[in-house]
């Protein structure tokens, strides 16, 4: 049979079975580069890819609860537009051309998708326009599949609420070990990336919310320097600390997404203007350097961070990783200690909690005021809604203490000013000093253990899969640094990833494809 006829037959057969499958293209562990190669080779269309992901989500999500909303019509229409552009244009396509992605459910997009932070009070809220990062994603050619689940209000409803749970999303599940935590709060984004339910995802972090779920779900998370990515149109907790970043299966994919979303946004004026000086002229992909560990001075934060029992898998694996990193040319400065780490890790003592409570009310009320329509227009309205819907919200069980405490605050007053001064001092005498004294390019810590250290100063971090413990629960290595150090962190993280290749996809029951 002539090859063209065979191809025609295959196409017809596949069209009969939904038209989604694609010769030579593997959905599992697909990367932006592999997707673009398959597009260019004519093996795959963006529509076909959206259909593949929708089928995979339909098969896996009843178990994993990584998704809150899907917008199949919007996604297919965007995919068709991308496919038409590819056919009609001879020039370069945009960097995320036809790439299906999920947004954490606190990031607003104009159109069918609702951003609700997992709360039933927010159902029916319509954004007047795209969040700053979503505007950039659309310009870069990305296709929005839907919203990913999270811990309600980014884990800021109150203490004791299960990680990865929200009234709208239910309980997210770790795709590796069903009883293990998904961690908080960008849980759905991390689960979905891990289980190949989208090409790439976006999360947000105040203090640990990208790093921790990325670590527990064996995916790469970039928590950018605060202000590098706009927070306009995002339900955040605290402008001092909140940042939007990618959660993906590879460092390269995360960097592709980062490059697409960074930049000045007049709607998040001060922070994005300050941070835009850090953006390298030719973008971030140039730092995907396999030899990126060579000559880098890495400070290993032992005390307060490497808290594994001796003889544990983690202890053995990290020591192997450090050997590999040395062989790849890194200079390891071991046994570094951050002064006052007990204070930094105690959100009440450090002042972090006080600042978050005050800033949350201001940010949320501002976000709500910008909506085109909404049943709730203030934090007080949300608290009231919760009181009136105790059953749906499991309000009696979990309470809403942070919401109540936040509502009792009154802007940035003397208490908050004191908190800011204290946090600034902890930064200066903590990370800033240790980086300078030891001339470090980055600090290294396991998983999300350095989340507060990095949160309080708006510092960047990248987590990369590092291993699986005795029960198969994933853990990561984290590289953190001073503001604007993304280029170095990317070199280090990419080189580490390529030198170790730790990530394995989860073995899931009966995925349809
Ligand atoms: C967004 O919420 C409205 C209800 O307020 C609902 O009709 C619509 O289906 C939601 N969008 C999606 C994509 O689920």
């Amino acid at each position: 049979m002539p090859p063209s006829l065979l191809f025609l037959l295959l196409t017809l057969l596949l069209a009969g079975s939904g038209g989604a499958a694609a010769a030579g293209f593997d959905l599992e562990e697909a990367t932006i580069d592999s997707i673009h190669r398959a597009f260019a080779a004519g093996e795959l269309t963006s529509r076909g890819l959206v259909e593949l992901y929708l089928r995979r989500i339909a098969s896996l999500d009843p178990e994993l609860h990584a998704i809150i909303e899907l917008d199949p019509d919007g996604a297919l229409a965007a995919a068709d537009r991308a496919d038409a552009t590819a056919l009609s244009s001879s020039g370069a396509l945009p960097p995320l051309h036809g790439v299906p992605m999920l947004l954490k459910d606190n990031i607003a997009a104009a159109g069918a998708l609702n951003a609700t932070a997992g709360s039933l009070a927010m159902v029916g809220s319509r954004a007047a326009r795209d969040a700053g990062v979503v505007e950039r994603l659309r310009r870069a050619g990305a296709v929005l599949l839907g919203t990913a689940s999270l811990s309600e209000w980014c884990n800021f409803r109150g203490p004791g609420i299960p990680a990865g749970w929200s009234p709208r999303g239910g309980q997210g599940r770790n795709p590796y070990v069903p009883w293990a935590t998904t961690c908080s709060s960008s849980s759905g984004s991390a689960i979905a990336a891990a289980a190949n339910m989208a090409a790439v995802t976006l999360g947000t972090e105040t203090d640990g919310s990208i790093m921790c779920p990325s670590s527990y779900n064996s995916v790469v998370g970039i928590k950018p320097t605060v202000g590098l990515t706009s927070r306009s149109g995002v339900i955040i907790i605290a402008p001092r600390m909140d940042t939007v970043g990618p959660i993906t299966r590879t460092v390269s994919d995360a960097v592709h997404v980062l490059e697409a979303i960074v930049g000045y946004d007049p709607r998040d004026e001060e922070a994005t203007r300050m941070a835009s000086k850090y953006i390298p002229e030719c973008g971030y992909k140039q730092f995907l350097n396999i030899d990126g560990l060579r000559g880098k001075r890495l400070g290993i934060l032992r005390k307060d961070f490497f808290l594994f029992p001796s003889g544990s898998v983690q202890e053995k694996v990290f020591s192997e990783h450090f050997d590999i990193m040395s062989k790849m040319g890194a200079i390891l400065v071991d046994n570094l200690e951050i002064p006052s780490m007990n204070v930094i890790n105690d959100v009440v003592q450090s002042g972090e909690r006080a600042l978050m409570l005050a800033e949350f009310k201001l940010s949320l009320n501002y976000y709500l005021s910008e909506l085109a329509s909404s049943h709730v227009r203030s934090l007080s309205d949300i608290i009231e809604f919760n009181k009136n819907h105790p059953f749906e919200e499991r309000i009696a069980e979990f309470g809403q203490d942070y919401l109540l405490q936040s509502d009792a605050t009154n802007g940035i007053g003397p208490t908050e000013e004191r908190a800011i001064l204290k946090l600034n001092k902890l930064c200066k005498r903590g990370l800033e000093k240790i980086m300078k004294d030891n001339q470090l390019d980055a600090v290294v810590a396991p998983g999300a253990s350095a989340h507060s250290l990095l949160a309080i100063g708006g510092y960047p971090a990248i987590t990369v899969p590092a291993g699986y413990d005795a029960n198969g629960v994933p853990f990561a290595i984290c590289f953190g640094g001073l503001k604007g150090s993304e280029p170095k962190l990317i070199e280090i993280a990419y080189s580490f990833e390529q030198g170790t290749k730790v990530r394995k996809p989860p073995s899931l029951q009966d995925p349809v494809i």
Side-chain angles (χ1 to χ4, degrees), residues 52-66:
L52 283 172
Y53 280 124
L54 290 175
R55 275 164 56 187
R56 182 145 172 124
I57 288 168
S59 147
L60 296 178
D61 202 54
E63 198 56 44
L64 297 177
H65 295 279

Side-chain angles (χ1 to χ4, degrees), residues 279-427:
I279 302 171
E281 201 162 317
C282 298
Y284 289 99
K285 284 178 215 152
Q286 59 179 313
F287 303 106
L288 294 169
N289 169 12
I290 199 147
D291 204 28
L293 277 163
R294 188 158 310 283
K296 293 291 191 306
R297 290 178 62 84
L298 304 181
I300 303 176
L301 303 175
R302 289 277 179 187
K303 189 173 173 286
D304 302 313
F305 295 90
F306 282 78
L307 304 171
F308 325 117
S310 98
S312 63
V313 173
Q314 285 98 319
E315 192 188 57
K316 182 169 150 286
V317 166
F318 275 106
S319 130
E320 288 166 7
H321 287 333
F322 292 148
D323 287 346
I324 293 173
M325 288 157 71
S326 296
K327 288 206 184 88
M328 293 177 79
I331 301 136
L332 303 182
V333 187
D334 206 344
N335 293 312
L336 294 181
E337 191 179 331
I338 303 275
S340 307
M341 209 43 229
N342 57 331
V343 179
I344 292 171
N345 274 337
D346 180 334
V347 290
V348 176
Q349 267 201 66
S350 71
E352 192 186 328
R353 170 72 49 75
L355 191 62
M356 286 203 284
L357 288 169
E359 288 199 331
F360 179 66
K361 180 178 175 181
L362 298 172
S363 322
L364 181 63
N365 285 345
Y366 181 71
Y367 175 89
L368 294 170
S369 76
E370 278 198 313
L371 292 172
S373 62
S374 180
H375 302 302
V376 287
R377 284 294 183 177
S378 68
L379 177 54
S380 313
D381 289 351
I382 289 162
I383 289 169
E384 209 42 44
F385 175 95
N386 287 345
K387 284 183 180 155
N388 295 331
H389 297 77
F391 175 71
E392 290 97 324
E393 280 267 342
R394 295 173 78 182
I395 199 77
E397 191 180 346
F398 295 140
Q400 51 176 338
D401 285 2
Y402 295 156
L403 302 188
L404 290 164
Q405 289 166 25
S406 178
D407 207 33
T409 63
N410 219 335
I412 306 295
T415 309
E416 291 75 20
E417 297 285 3
R418 267 198 309 280
I420 292 168
L421 287 178
K422 185 152 188 194
L423 291 168
N424 289 347
K425 201 186 279 179
L426 288 167
C427 291

Side-chain angles (χ1 to χ4, degrees), residues 69-71 112-114 123-124:
E69 279 185 8
L70 289 172
D71 177 20
L113 292 170
N114 304 282
V123 173

